[in-house]
Amino acid sequence: MVDLDRLIVQFDKGLRTLFAPAPTARPLPGRDLPDAELDEAGKKQAAALMRVNHSGEICAQALYQGQALTARNPVARAALEQASWEEVEHLNWCETRINELGGRKSLLNPAWYTGSLALGALAGVLGDKWNLGFLAETEHQVVRHLDGHLQRLPRMRRAAPLSSR
Ligand SMILES: [Fe+2]
């Protein structure tokens, strides 16, 4: 059973996920690499792909939070809450890159969040077997999705190595 305190905490998490800048403990990956030169069309395409990734991270937060909300097993609940926390900085990284590319976040994020939270909560209600199976399949699909994006990123001219600048 979900009590009122947990619902209030969940509502707060949802607002933070959707509207507050996400914190990060580690720097954005790739900061030590030279940035590739992209023309305007390339930047626009990369920003659009990153907007989808950011929405995916919003959905991941909502799924983990929904699953943790209704998980019966306290160990599974703690693991899901930990996974959610560990993924928060992915939101920061995606948002930072979107801003660098001159893009914007999806206006549909509240809808993606709400739907994903409901899906996660349903998986939790169905029991630990379904909950953890759902988690494993979600991670599998994320890997496939990211592989697809890597193929779709615009070809970039290689920037000169830092040593030659
Ligand atoms: Fe992530």
Side-chain angles (χ1 to χ4, degrees):
M1 189 69 173
V2 179
D3 62 34
L4 186 60
D5 285 349
R6 285 174 62 198
L7 282 178
I8 291 171
V9 168
Q10 180 53 53
F11 186 68
D12 178 67
K13 281 183 186 173
L15 290 177
R16 287 173 196 267
T17 302
L18 286 168
F19 302 114
T24 184
R26 296 178 293 170
L28 185 76
R31 273 290 181 248
D32 53 338
L33 299 173
D35 212 357
E37 292 175 33
L38 289 173
D39 59 16
E40 279 310 306
K43 279 186 182 176
K44 200 170 173 183
Q45 184 183 3
L49 291 170
M50 193 54 75
R51 180 168 56 243
V52 173
N53 289 339
H54 180 266
S55 292
E57 295 295 345
I58 293 279
C59 292
Q61 285 297 314
L63 283 170
Y64 286 140
Q65 291 168 12
Q67 288 181 273
L69 194 64
T70 55
R72 295 173 202 159
N73 181 330
V75 175
R77 178 182 301 151
L80 287 159
E81 287 172 347
Q82 178 68 24
S84 170
W85 173 243
E86 288 173 0
E87 294 259 343
V88 164
E89 62 186 1
H90 295 183
L91 281 173
N92 175 293
W93 298 347
C94 288
E95 189 171 342
T96 299
R97 192 60 182 149
I98 288 171
N99 291 336
E100 287 174 353
L101 292 164
R104 63 165 177 79
K105 296 185 288 184
S106 172
L107 299 175
L108 296 175
N109 280 342
W112 304 138
Y113 183 89
T114 305
S116 298
L117 185 73
L119 263 180
L122 177 64
V125 164
L126 293 174
D128 292 334
K129 189 174 159 188
W130 278 92
N131 207 6
L132 296 176
F134 184 73
L135 177 68
E137 181 57 23
T138 300
E139 292 297 328
H140 176 69
Q141 293 299 326
V142 166
V143 170
R144 288 187 55 196
H145 158 83
L146 291 175
D147 282 344
H149 271 204
L150 287 174
Q151 302 303 317
R152 293 175 56 197
L153 274 173
R155 295 265 173 222
M156 297 178 281
R157 283 185 287 146
R158 285 196 181 278
L162 287 175
S163 58
S164 69
R165 292 182 183 180

